Amino acid sequence: MLIIEDLKVEVQGKTILEHIDLEVPPGKTYILFGPNGSGKTSLLMAIMGFSGYKVVKGKICFKGEDITNLPINERARMGIGMSFQRPPSIDGVKVRDILKICGAKDDEVNELASNVHFLEFMDRDVNVGFSGGEIKRSELLQLMAQSPDLLLFDEPESGVDLENISLIGNAINYLLKGISQGKREYCTYKERSTRKRSGLIITHTGHILNYVDADMANVLYNGRIACQGNPREILRGISVHGYGECIRCLNNCNK
Amino acid sequence: MSKQLQQIDVEKFIHEGGEHPYIDDLNQIPADDQQRMILAGIDVSEEERSGTYIQEDHSVVHCKTRQDGLEVLDINTALERYEWLRDYMWRAVNPDTDEFTRMANHISHYGYFIRALPGARSLYPVQACLYLKTENLSQNVHNIVIADEGSELHIITGCSTSKDLSAGLHIGISEFYVKKGAKLSFTMIHNWSEGVVVRPRSITVVEEDAQFINNFIILNPVKSLQMYPTTYMEGPRGVVRYNSILVTPPGSHVDAGGRVYLRKEGCRAEIISRTITTGGHIIARGHLIGEVPGIRAHLECKGLILGDGVIHAIPELEGRSEGLEMSHEAAVGRIAQEEIEYLMARGLSEEEATSVIVRGFLNVDIQGLPPQLQKEIDKAIQKGEKEFF
Ligand SMILES: Nc1ncnc2c1ncn2[C@@H]1O[C@H](COP(=O)(O)OP(=O)(O)OP(=O)(O)O)[C@@H](O)[C@H]1O
Ligand SMILES: [Mg+2]
């Protein structure tokens, strides 16, 4: 689904990511760990094609096509969707409007919103004055309307309260499985267990692992992928030894 | 074009002629003119209006009140009918303010008188249209609006010209009196043409516990428009809001804003403007003068430059006492790339994203306005955008 080869990304002339190789196969969900400032957000922004994140080397392929130089909206149209860590506010554009932009039909908008308890925000300006948790739900809702094949989540659960975390966790799970919220009670076990969509989820806490079956985790350290492995094992490793271990891994790799 | 206002030679415009017959049914207005009026917010069906006043050049072509408790007249008839009205003429506006007020004092061509009697509430807005039809004409009107004690009055004024008019001058003297506990909203939509010079001169007097909401929208070309409508809050606990939405294409020069004197305890005022230039010159002014402790006032001035134009924001706060709260927020620039790209990530092309953001930028929710009127304003902006973007 997504193949990244030897990617090097610069932000304002400074190298932020280097030697990134990453493959997310169809139907698989990958986790991305890494300390603050290690480049996780930058990697997702580069995959999405944001102009501040300049690919100076390597390439990004999606569904077999080289998308390294495609404009953002064409990547979106091909089926990449992203939930942002810090989305901009847009004055005068209502949540209702942006959901339609994302592809929701008039009569779907309210149903989608009620899934993540967001009905009362439909006539608010997008992200204007939203709390941290509200931003997460708004982002998720937009992805639900977009229904992409590759879902990029940038810390979807950070700062979310205990009650909402299961709401968000489950919504992400269903989104990854391509099951629309309304239908989930009726679908068969087989439908539930066969995933076509792929995911890449940035998390610090790993709470999302309680809701989503993740196949693999990568640790980003200082702009490089330090290691790869079972998500729970890596999470355990990080919580016991901290990211300090990654330095050793990186050194080993480079030897 | 020079950055300063061009000198306007009032003498070169014609003050005679411009007579037109009275029209009973607005549908008899030629389709072209109707279209121009509709773009200025006029409802030709009159269904959702509590009264209508239409003046073309120097003639009152239609004048009707449709609700008890309200009154819509031309100013000459009103002055004949009400002796006391003379006290209100030139009470708020000083006829010696400038050459335009002097001109209007010297030669005047009607104007409207709109009043809500004590306690009356307009179900629908009253509409007034000031229309320029004849080339090179000067239309000097004098309007008086009185919202009597405890009344609620909503007015939409549409100012426009016939489609191919290449030159004209509009001078509008307006005096608004918002009495104790009354609520007046005045929404002015301008739809001029490239060669027209416009000089409104408006003063509002707001009494205790009264509210005045002034909305001004101009989305289409005008040669030169300059105004600085001013409100004096003479009673305690008044609320005043000025909202302006200004768009200038190349060749347009608009110098507009609002000024509010907060003179009594508990008064609140807000001036909000959204300006876009696609090549024209905008001077967006705002001036709040707080004279007593405890007043609150806020000014917000946002501008987008989408072409070779100029936006000159001049927000002024003038505190003349201790213990008052005044603030302002001003920003002029281009659309944030981040916002465009965010919408692109949702599937829009760059152009589509830009136009969504521009539309959002102009989409101001005006507090205290009845939903129906807000809808009218949204509609006017949508129509204007279609013509424009
Ligand atoms: N626009 C920018 N201008 C300057 N530096 C930037 C910019 N964007 C990112 N960076 C820098 O790039 C590095 C990686 O940032 P990034 O946001 O990708 O980190 P992250 O791994 O997502 O961190 P966090 O866990 O805190 O979200 C940081 O040092 C950051 O300061
Ligand atoms: Mg980040």
Side-chain angles (χ1 to χ4, degrees):
Chain A
M1 178 78 67
L2 176 75
I3 301 174
I4 296 173
E5 282 172 24
D6 193 25
L7 194 72
K8 181 174 172 182
V9 174
E10 281 181 5
V11 176
Q12 295 186 341
K14 192 177 135 204
T15 302
I16 302 288
L17 298 165
E18 209 171 0
H19 303 305
I20 303 289
D21 289 294
L22 180 70
E23 180 177 349
V24 185
K28 302 287 182 197
T29 296
Y30 279 29
I31 302 292
L32 198 55
F33 291 115
N36 294 139
S38 57
K40 304 181 297 300
T41 296
S42 303
L43 179 56
L44 295 203
M45 297 300 257
I47 296 172
M48 200 68 239
F50 272 70
S51 61
Y53 302 81
K54 206 171 150 214
V55 175
V56 289
K57 200 180 154 197
K59 63 177 183 179
I60 305 170
C61 294
F62 178 64
K63 292 181 176 172
E65 230 182 274
D66 185 345
I67 61 163
T68 320
N69 296 310
L70 282 189
I72 303 171
N73 55 317
E74 280 178 35
R75 301 184 199 207
R77 212 163 21 229
M78 285 177 71
I80 306 181
M82 171 164 175
S83 122
F84 293 78
Q85 184 180 15
R86 274 187 305 270
S89 309
I90 305 185
D91 282 331
V93 177
K94 309 292 174 204
V95 174
R96 185 181 300 289
D97 304 332
I98 204 166
L99 291 180
K100 286 186 205 156
I101 287 170
C102 288
K105 307 225 168 55
D106 280 352
D107 54 343
E108 289 171 351
V109 169
N110 284 352
E111 193 194 322
L112 281 175
S114 65
N115 285 329
V116 286
H117 304 327
F118 218 62
L119 268 178
E120 58 184 301
F121 294 88
M122 297 311 278
D123 292 311
R124 288 263 302 262
D125 289 0
V126 177
N127 300 327
V128 176
F130 282 9
S131 75
E134 287 159 4
I135 285 181
K136 304 294 176 200
R137 277 186 282 157
S138 153
E139 286 296 302
L140 193 55
L141 191 51
Q142 291 175 52
L143 279 188
M144 285 159 68
Q146 257 184 305
S147 198
D149 299 324
L150 171 66
L151 293 122
L152 311 172
F153 294 98
D154 197 344
E155 300 193 25
E157 90 287 47
S158 70
V160 175
D161 67 46
L162 287 175
E163 219 169 294
N164 276 304
I165 214 155
S166 71
L167 182 97
I168 284 188
N170 285 322
I172 290 176
N173 189 30
Y174 282 109
L175 203 46
L176 284 168
K177 290 181 177 175
I179 302 164
S180 76
Q181 292 265 335
K183 272 201 229 137
R184 64 179 152 189
E185 269 87 46
Y186 313 107
C187 64
T188 63
Y189 177 75
K190 188 155 178 264
E191 274 175 317
R192 281 192 212 198
S193 54
T194 51
R195 276 192 209 167
K196 285 172 234 78
R197 293 180 174 180
S198 308
L200 187 55
I201 308 177
I202 297 176
T203 178
H204 285 294
T205 62
H207 290 319
I208 195 71
L209 296 176
N210 299 331
Y211 302 91
V212 170
D213 305 319
D215 301 284
M216 182 78 88
N218 286 270
V219 179
L220 205 56
Y221 193 88
N222 214 356
R224 293 166 183 231
I225 289 181
C227 69
Q228 239 192 8
N230 178 289
R232 288 210 177 267
E233 275 171 26
I234 289 188
L235 180 63
R236 207 174 308 124
I238 296 167
S239 42
V240 177
H241 307 291
Y243 282 109
E245 282 291 288
C246 304
I247 305 175
R248 219 168 327 135
C249 282
L250 265 179
N251 289 340
N252 288 341
C253 296
N254 291 347
K255 266 176 203 159
Chain B
M1 197 170 119
S2 85
K3 292 205 171 112
Q4 297 305 314
L5 272 181
Q6 301 155 283
Q7 231 15 67
I8 303 298
D9 183 6
V10 285
E11 303 300 334
K12 82 172 197 227
F13 295 94
I14 307 161
H15 298 273
E16 271 76 58
E19 309 293 340
H20 305 284
Y22 193 87
I23 300 165
D24 275 316
D25 180 356
L26 294 190
N27 282 312
Q28 286 163 351
I29 295 173
D32 272 359
D33 292 332
Q34 274 192 36
Q35 215 38 51
R36 300 286 298 163
M37 290 179 183
I38 288 168
L39 279 171
I42 299 304
D43 178 355
V44 192
S45 79
E46 292 184 80
E47 267 163 32
E48 301 205 322
R49 295 291 185 264
S50 288
T52 300
Y53 174 88
I54 296 184
Q55 175 170 346
E56 293 184 347
D57 294 336
H58 299 152
S59 298
V60 180
V61 300
H62 190 82
C63 183
K64 197 192 289 164
T65 311
R66 292 164 62 100
Q67 192 195 320
D68 287 345
L70 305 183
E71 194 168 22
V72 183
L73 295 171
D74 72 77
I75 195 79
N76 294 10
T77 307
L79 283 166
E80 275 165 34
R81 192 171 298 179
Y82 303 116
E83 186 67 29
W84 51 263
L85 189 55
R86 300 196 179 278
D87 286 346
Y88 288 85
M89 286 287 279
W90 299 110
R91 185 205 274 186
V93 177
N94 179 351
D96 253 335
T97 307
D98 58 25
E99 58 185 313
F100 303 102
T101 55
R102 278 190 288 274
M103 172 61 78
N105 191 23
H106 178 55
I107 307 170
S108 184
H109 317 104
Y110 293 102
Y112 52 76
F113 169 69
I114 300 174
R115 164 162 82 138
L117 294 174
R121 302 187 59 193
S122 63
L123 295 176
Y124 296 112
V126 171
Q127 63 183 353
C129 178
L130 300 166
Y131 198 74
L132 272 174
K133 219 171 162 162
T134 306
E135 280 298 335
N136 224 30
L137 203 78
S138 171
Q139 181 188 55
N140 315 338
V141 301
H142 195 134
N143 310 310
I144 292 185
V145 172
I146 300 175
D148 231 316
E149 288 193 8
S151 67
E152 182 175 333
L153 178 58
H154 302 284
I155 299 173
I156 296 182
T157 292
C159 296
S160 194
T161 66
S162 57
K163 207 162 129 242
D164 303 313
L165 193 90
S166 64
L169 170 66
H170 170 91
I171 300 174
I173 310 296
S174 298
E175 302 182 87
F176 302 107
Y177 301 93
V178 193
K179 306 275 180 161
K180 187 177 165 184
K183 192 173 168 183
L184 171 65
S185 83
F186 182 77
T187 300
M188 185 156 73
I189 302 172
H190 279 189
N191 180 39
W192 304 106
S193 44
E194 281 148 21
V196 178
V197 176
V198 184
R199 292 291 181 270
R201 297 290 179 258
S202 322
I203 306 278
T204 306
V205 179
V206 174
E207 295 183 2
E208 63 184 285
D209 297 303
Q211 273 188 45
F212 176 55
I213 301 177
N214 184 93
N215 304 311
F216 176 53
I217 296 158
I218 178 163
L219 307 170
N220 294 314
V222 65
K223 180 176 180 189
S224 163
L225 180 148
Q226 185 274 323
M227 65 176 187
Y228 212 163
T230 300
T231 293
Y232 295 93
M233 303 181 77
E234 302 289 7
R237 297 173 302 276
V239 177
V240 171
R241 293 203 172 88
Y242 276 85
N243 300 291
S244 322
I245 294 171
L246 318 175
V247 178
T248 58
S252 284
H253 194 294
V254 174
D255 177 345
R259 180 190 280 132
V260 184
Y261 287 83
L262 298 94
R263 300 193 146 159
K264 292 284 151 59
E265 37 137 330
C267 282
R268 283 188 289 138
E270 192 175 62
I271 297 173
I272 293 180
S273 74
R274 295 275 188 279
T275 59
I276 295 183
T277 174
T278 57
H281 195 114
I282 296 177
I283 303 175
R285 296 176 196 271
H287 188 184
L288 292 161
I289 305 99
E291 301 191 346
V292 293
I295 60 95
R296 275 192 292 149
H298 182 68
L299 209 159
E300 183 186 304
C301 205
K302 290 190 185 168
L304 278 183
I305 302 175
L306 301 180
D308 277 334
V310 174
I311 296 179
H312 183 173
I314 312 179
E316 293 182 66
L317 300 181
E318 192 175 330
R320 294 186 180 171
S321 149
E322 271 186 286
L324 42 74
E325 240 179 90
M326 303 173 85
S327 56
H328 86 73
E329 193 186 334
V332 171
R334 59 182 180 135
I335 299 175
Q337 186 65 17
E338 198 193 4
E339 291 179 31
I340 295 176
E341 296 194 345
Y342 182 61
L343 291 178
M344 287 174 77
R346 301 305 181 211
L348 297 186
S349 70
E350 188 166 354
E351 297 74 51
E352 289 165 339
T354 304
S355 96
V356 166
I357 293 166
V358 167
R359 232 169 275 155
F361 178 80
L362 295 179
N363 183 4
V364 193
D365 282 330
I366 298 163
Q367 279 183 47
L369 212 60
Q372 189 232 350
L373 203 55
Q374 176 79 50
K375 240 188 281 162
E376 295 281 346
I377 291 177
D378 295 346
K379 215 163 64 189
I381 292 172
Q382 272 163 24
K383 280 196 200 114
E385 281 167 355
K386 247 181 243 149
E387 295 260 299
F388 214 79
F389 294 109

